[in-house]
Amino acid sequence: MADPLSLLRQYNINKKEIIERDNQIIFGEFSWPKNVKTNYLKYGSGKKGAPREYYTLECLLYLLKNVMLQHSVYVRQCAAEDIPAVNRPDRKELLAYLNGETPTCASIDKSAPLEIPTQVKRTADGDAATSGETAAKKARFEETQVQKVREQLAARWDVNQKETAVNMDNIKSLSETMSVEKIAAIKAKRLANKRTTIKRTDNEEAMGTDLRAILDYDVDSTKDIISRERQWRTRTSVLQSAGKVFAKNIFAMLQGIKAREEGRNRPQVPNPIKMPEPTRIAKPQPQLSQYNRYDQERFNRQKEETEGFKIDTLGTYHGMSLKSVTEGSLAQRKAQANMPHATPGVGVTRAGPKDLLPTAQARQLPANGPQKRPSRTPIIIIPSANTSLITMLNVKDILQELRFMSTSEKKAQGCQRECEVLLQRKRNNQTVSYRVVDNPIKLTQQDWQRVVAVFVMGPQWQFKGWPWDGNPVEIFSKICAFHLCFSELKLDANVERWSVTLLRLSQNKRHLDRAVLSKFWETLDKYMLKYKPDLRF
């Protein structure tokens, strides 16, 4: 069944004429009263128990007629003519539907009751009777009469065609001065002029009326055919858009995708790389209050600064001549003359090399060669004990995949323990690496500056041999600490006293692992942003 809203949209898209007559709105053969309700809901109606209200057909038609007006002016005109106005929130969506920009609309209530239209009979003189005009009815000819007029025109055209040929046999010479050829040329010229002129006949007015009738008949027939025509569309014609420019629209999107893939959509400001300063080893001071058998070695080491040569480090050549500099001072020459000539290797000891430093201190000293570019990969330390919930076997499942898997399950799968693991974390369309170790004794001084997180078990012997004298309180003030445990088990007493972040997992509910383990990365990102901005994260 036809509804007024669909017909109004169809007539508006096809630019057909909509007739308003006697408080009726006519769409071809169907008509409705002006105050008939459509199935388009008003804004805010039908919600929270409010009754449903619909726009009338007259209201929507008046909006289409005054669509170019501003909304405030349109509302004032509606109030002046006592016509309901369309609400401002409904205006954009309603016009898009009526103009064919959208196929449907959310405000259309398909379950609303619709009024049955009235059938309109199209009479021949209906337009003249309703408008009050006295115009004469257009003459309509049947096909036989039209065919007759066309045959008359064709006969007249054949006559003109026959007269165009000049027959030389019927032409006779009038005199000796005008030959037959000249008479034929004059006759041909007259026939040519006759073709360009209009021959006036008695039935000229009747013939003109017949021609106009034929044209009107053809117009009425072709108009009905054109109204039923549909544009033939293929794959090629659909892709050929007249309103879009391929170079401006599609190329811009392709360039944006390419820039995003190459990482040029936002310039990355390189973080300033802070070169770690090597720790300076303080020279031990001799203790005079108590005897120490190493004091003599420390005293001799101070002498070895000049490698056994008698060099006055506080001397100067200021005020001396070149001769005195090359020959030495008088006191030095007398001392050299009085020195006994000792045989090399007898009674004379050569200064040996400096004593070797311990291995831990030797790692902290900078090499004499060119400085190697320091790494910016963060380091995470986990316990080496097999009783820990996080080990080198399952650290990648816990921190990278955010899913807990016990060490025994990984061993059953045949996984081998590695000395260190490299995590690959995806963040902001980038992959960041994290180095995970469980033996911190092998870390150098530069490596300790990249340690950002440590997983705590509970016993204090875990930090034996660490920097800062293995004091957990001082370690946790420098490094972000975490403790992984089951929520059903009791918490360790030392962990309760320490400043660590608790990650409580469920023993059976594995679907909750991601939410708990995501807290680790959130806490670590905040810590690195504040204390380790030079590292990569």
Side-chain angles (χ1 to χ4, degrees):
M1 183 179 67
D3 63 285
L5 183 62
S6 300
L7 280 178
L8 179 63
R9 179 176 182 268
Q10 181 181 354
Y11 270 65
N12 183 49
I13 294 173
N14 297 330
K15 305 299 181 183
K16 293 184 180 180
E17 182 182 4
I18 302 174
I19 302 173
E20 296 184 51
R21 184 177 62 202
D22 297 337
N23 291 330
Q24 294 283 330
I25 299 178
I26 302 172
F27 300 94
E29 298 179 355
F30 302 101
S31 70
W32 282 275
K34 288 185 176 182
N35 57 355
V36 67
K37 292 184 179 180
T38 62
N39 56 347
Y40 199 94
L41 280 170
K42 289 186 178 181
Y43 177 78
S45 64
K47 297 180 181 179
K48 297 181 180 180
R52 297 188 176 184
E53 298 181 4
Y54 303 94
Y55 288 112
T56 61
L57 183 58
E58 182 185 16
C59 172
L60 301 183
L61 183 59
Y62 192 77
L63 174 66
L64 291 176
K65 291 182 179 180
N66 301 277
V67 70
M68 302 304 296
L69 296 178
Q70 293 185 358
H71 190 72
S72 57
V73 179
Y74 159 73
V75 171
R76 286 197 294 269
Q77 287 191 8
C78 289
E81 298 186 15
D82 196 15
I83 298 176
V86 175
N87 297 332
R88 184 61 178 267
D90 293 330
R91 181 185 178 98
K92 183 177 180 180
E93 192 173 1
L94 177 60
L95 288 175
Y97 173 73
L98 293 178
N99 292 330
E101 298 175 4
T102 56
T104 184
C105 184
S107 299
I108 297 177
D109 186 6
K110 296 183 179 180
S111 61
L114 298 176
E115 185 173 342
I116 300 175
T118 304
Q119 195 90 14
V120 178
K121 294 183 180 180
R122 301 181 63 181
T123 58
D125 56 347
D127 296 336
T130 54
S131 60
E133 298 179 357
T134 59
K137 186 178 75 171
K138 292 183 178 180
R140 289 188 173 272
F141 288 80
E142 299 295 334
E143 293 184 0
T144 56
Q145 190 172 357
V146 172
Q147 187 66 23
K148 183 179 179 180
V149 174
R150 288 177 177 172
E151 291 176 357
Q152 293 178 0
L153 292 175
R156 293 184 59 187
W157 175 255
D158 292 340
V159 171
N160 292 333
Q161 290 291 334
K162 292 177 181 178
E163 291 180 355
T164 54
V166 179
N167 192 358
M168 298 291 294
D169 299 335
N170 300 328
I171 301 176
K172 296 180 179 180
S173 177
L174 298 178
S175 62
E176 294 179 358
T177 59
M178 187 174 293
S179 62
V180 177
E181 290 80 4
K182 194 172 184 180
I183 295 173
I186 294 173
K187 188 175 182 180
K189 185 177 180 181
R190 183 182 65 82
L191 291 176
N193 293 333
K194 186 178 180 181
R195 290 181 60 188
T196 56
T197 57
I198 299 175
K199 184 179 179 181
R200 302 186 62 86
T201 58
D202 297 337
N203 56 351
E204 182 181 1
E205 295 181 0
M207 186 60 66
T209 306
D210 294 342
L211 289 174
R212 285 193 298 271
I214 292 173
L215 294 176
D216 292 341
Y217 180 80
D218 291 341
V219 167
D220 293 339
S221 302
T222 54
K223 183 185 292 185
D224 189 21
I225 296 173
I226 292 173
S227 64
R228 299 179 185 178
E229 284 183 353
R230 294 293 181 269
Q231 186 178 2
W232 183 50
R233 309 194 68 163
T234 60
R235 290 183 179 181
T236 306
S237 63
V238 168
L239 294 177
Q240 292 175 350
S241 176
K244 296 290 184 180
V245 180
F246 189 81
K248 292 183 179 179
N249 296 275
I250 307 300
F251 285 164
M253 295 187 341
L254 293 177
Q255 290 176 359
I257 294 172
K258 183 179 179 182
R260 186 162 60 252
E261 290 178 353
E262 294 178 357
R264 296 182 302 183
N265 51 349
R266 57 182 182 90
Q268 295 182 356
V269 180
N271 295 327
I273 300 176
K274 298 181 179 179
M275 301 295 292
E277 297 181 359
T279 306
R280 297 180 181 178
I281 303 175
K283 295 182 179 180
Q285 298 293 335
Q287 298 179 1
L288 302 177
S289 60
Q290 187 178 0
Y291 170 76
N292 190 350
R293 67 188 186 93
Y294 295 106
D295 288 346
Q296 187 67 25
E297 297 178 1
R298 191 178 297 111
F299 176 75
N300 291 336
R301 188 179 296 114
Q302 293 177 359
K303 287 185 176 181
E304 291 171 0
E305 291 180 356
T306 58
E307 298 293 340
F309 295 98
K310 297 180 179 181
I311 300 175
D312 186 8
T313 58
L314 301 179
T316 178
Y317 294 116
H318 181 68
M320 298 175 62
S321 62
L322 179 61
K323 183 177 181 180
S324 61
V325 171
T326 55
E327 296 179 357
S329 61
L330 181 61
Q332 292 177 352
R333 288 197 300 271
K334 289 181 179 180
Q336 292 176 0
N338 296 330
M339 285 181 61
H341 297 281
T343 304
V346 180
V348 180
T349 60
R350 297 183 62 186
K354 293 184 178 179
D355 295 339
L356 296 177
L357 295 175
T359 306
Q361 296 181 4
R363 286 200 189 103
Q364 298 175 0
L365 292 177
N368 294 330
Q371 288 289 335
K372 184 180 179 181
R373 183 178 180 181
S375 175
R376 297 175 56 202
T377 303
I379 299 177
I380 301 173
I381 302 177
I382 64 174
S384 59
N386 293 329
T387 57
S388 174
L389 291 183
I390 180 169
T391 61
M392 298 298 288
L393 293 174
N394 61 356
V395 63
K396 185 170 289 188
D397 296 281
I398 294 176
L399 298 184
Q400 182 172 317
E401 305 297 335
L402 300 181
R403 176 175 52 87
F404 177 76
M405 183 175 288
S406 63
T407 306
S408 58
E409 292 176 353
K410 298 295 290 186
K411 288 181 178 179
Q413 295 177 1
C415 297
Q416 300 293 329
R417 183 182 179 278
E418 300 178 1
C419 296
E420 63 179 44
V421 176
L422 198 64
L423 299 180
Q424 302 293 336
R425 180 195 176 196
K426 293 183 178 180
R427 183 188 181 211
N428 297 332
N429 296 328
Q430 294 181 353
T431 303
V432 184
S433 301
Y434 290 81
R435 178 184 170 193
V436 181
V437 298
D438 63 347
N439 189 7
I441 305 301
K442 297 181 179 180
L443 298 179
T444 62
Q445 181 65 25
Q446 286 78 10
D447 293 339
W448 276 106
Q449 295 180 4
R450 294 188 287 119
V451 176
V452 295
V454 57
F455 278 85
V456 179
M457 282 186 61
Q460 193 168 353
W461 52 259
Q462 179 185 355
F463 308 104
K464 184 178 180 181
W466 285 41
W468 307 290
D469 297 332
N471 185 6
V473 177
E474 190 171 357
I475 290 174
F476 299 156
S477 65
K478 301 286 193 303
I479 304 174
C480 191
F482 299 89
H483 178 66
L484 187 66
C485 62
F486 288 127
S487 59
E488 293 84 359
L489 301 181
K490 185 179 179 181
L491 196 63
D492 189 87
N494 290 333
V495 176
E496 291 181 350
R497 293 186 292 104
W498 291 340
S499 176
V500 298
T501 302
L502 299 179
L503 303 176
R504 295 177 176 269
L505 296 175
S506 176
Q507 287 182 335
N508 303 318
K509 302 175 181 178
R510 295 277 70 82
H511 63 280
L512 301 177
D513 293 348
R514 179 172 289 273
V516 177
L517 297 176
S518 297
K519 182 181 177 183
F520 165 77
W521 292 112
E522 295 176 2
T523 307
L524 184 60
D525 289 341
K526 293 179 182 178
Y527 166 79
M528 295 181 65
L529 185 63
K530 185 176 181 180
Y531 297 103
K532 302 285 185 178
D534 55 321
L535 299 181
R536 187 183 294 108
F537 68 97

